[in-house]
Amino acid sequence: MRAVAAALLLAGSAAGQPATPGLIIDQGSFTITVTGSAPVSGRETFAIRRAPGGFQASGTVLFADRRLSPTLSTDPTGFPLSYALDVRSGPGRLERVSVARDRAFLTLRARVSEQESVRELPATIARRAPDSALVGGTVIVDDDIVHQYYFLILGRREGTVSVVVPARRRVISMRVERLGPDSVRVGGKELAAVRVRVTSDSDDERLVWIDGAGRILQLARPEKHLMAVRDSPPQP
């Protein structure tokens, strides 16, 4: 246990160093399984890069009946600057959702067929605690997209966070709590991890396993019978 904690501490220290613009922070894929009366499986590929003024993340999530294509740009705290999500679910059916920063608000637009809706959402930027950890703020974590949890947990963030779920046109208050060192098996290897619990009064619980650099290794949503496991360890 001490060795695991030490490894995570060293990796966390390295993660705090400035990243080169354009540098790939993380990339890979997840296998997603949903058990129960109607089992479902899917696969997500993604990349998160350092971009001017923050980060850019994009990916593709494939299920038997849907294809999700998200693209997210954030500031250094994970606050969303722009977001676009295309959802294809059947011949000719395309749903497009976008989020754009507008001063102290986020403007959410959703278009399905010829119908369009617009919502204005309040948003806040995270502050830094005395130990430099992020506190609070607004982030985007959409349904069925695993890699976006990186921004929820970015910067050792804990406490209450405002989470925009564009696919549902909702904002949910979520609490992030680090439960401590753990380990997960990825690509046949046992990896040191930190287990994080994400709870809400209005949504289901999530358990997230991250490495010392905050990269997502595994996600579980017990009430949804959903498990997403990384296919191979993150690159050093």
Side-chain angles (χ1 to χ4, degrees):
M1 184 64 73
R2 290 181 180 175
V4 170
L8 292 171
L9 179 60
L10 289 172
S13 298
Q17 299 302 313
T20 305
L23 178 71
I24 293 178
I25 304 300
D26 192 16
Q27 66 178 350
S29 62
F30 295 94
T31 295
I32 304 168
T33 55
V34 182
T35 58
S37 57
V40 174
S41 63
R43 190 167 187 268
E44 173 178 333
T45 58
F46 72 96
I48 302 173
R49 294 178 171 84
R50 175 71 67 177
F55 300 94
Q56 186 172 54
S58 59
T60 301
V61 186
L62 295 174
F63 293 99
D65 60 342
R66 287 174 296 143
R67 177 190 179 100
L68 293 77
S69 302
T71 302
L72 172 65
S73 295
T74 80
D75 76 1
T77 72
F79 182 90
L81 304 177
S82 65
Y83 180 64
L85 173 67
D86 285 357
V87 182
R88 295 186 180 276
S89 54
R93 180 176 173 80
L94 174 64
E95 177 181 353
R96 286 183 171 166
V97 183
S98 66
V99 178
R101 181 179 183 176
D102 184 8
R103 299 180 301 279
F105 293 88
L106 295 174
T107 300
L108 187 152
R109 297 178 181 274
R111 186 177 183 85
V112 182
S113 300
E114 299 302 317
Q115 301 296 317
E116 184 176 60
S117 61
V118 181
R119 285 192 64 190
E120 197 171 64
L121 308 173
T124 58
I125 296 176
R127 61 180 177 84
R128 293 279 181 184
D131 64 355
S132 295
L134 291 174
V135 178
T138 298
V139 300
I140 284 178
V141 180
D142 225 333
D143 283 332
D144 299 325
I145 300 174
V146 180
H147 71 270
Q148 291 174 353
Y149 283 85
Y150 174 85
F151 300 101
L152 178 62
I153 302 168
L154 179 68
R156 295 180 287 118
R157 191 193 319 258
E158 286 195 83
T160 302
V161 185
S162 179
V163 178
V164 179
V165 187
R168 283 191 271 165
R169 316 335 176 220
R170 287 189 63 190
V171 181
I172 300 171
S173 180
M174 292 185 170
R175 293 177 294 277
V176 179
E177 177 188 6
R178 291 171 185 259
L179 301 180
D182 202 345
S183 64
V184 294
R185 193 163 186 81
V186 175
K189 296 182 178 180
E190 200 74 16
L191 302 182
V194 171
R195 186 157 56 105
V196 180
R197 180 165 54 202
V198 181
T199 57
S200 170
D201 293 335
S202 60
D203 218 57
D204 62 293
E205 179 187 69
R206 284 91 157 153
L207 293 171
V208 188
W209 286 261
I210 62 174
D211 69 3
R215 298 173 296 190
I216 309 301
L217 301 176
Q218 182 172 284
L219 166 72
R221 296 180 68 173
E223 292 179 31
K224 302 291 186 183
H225 306 286
L226 183 148
M227 177 70 77
V229 181
R230 198 172 181 117
D231 294 318
S232 58
Q235 293 298 312

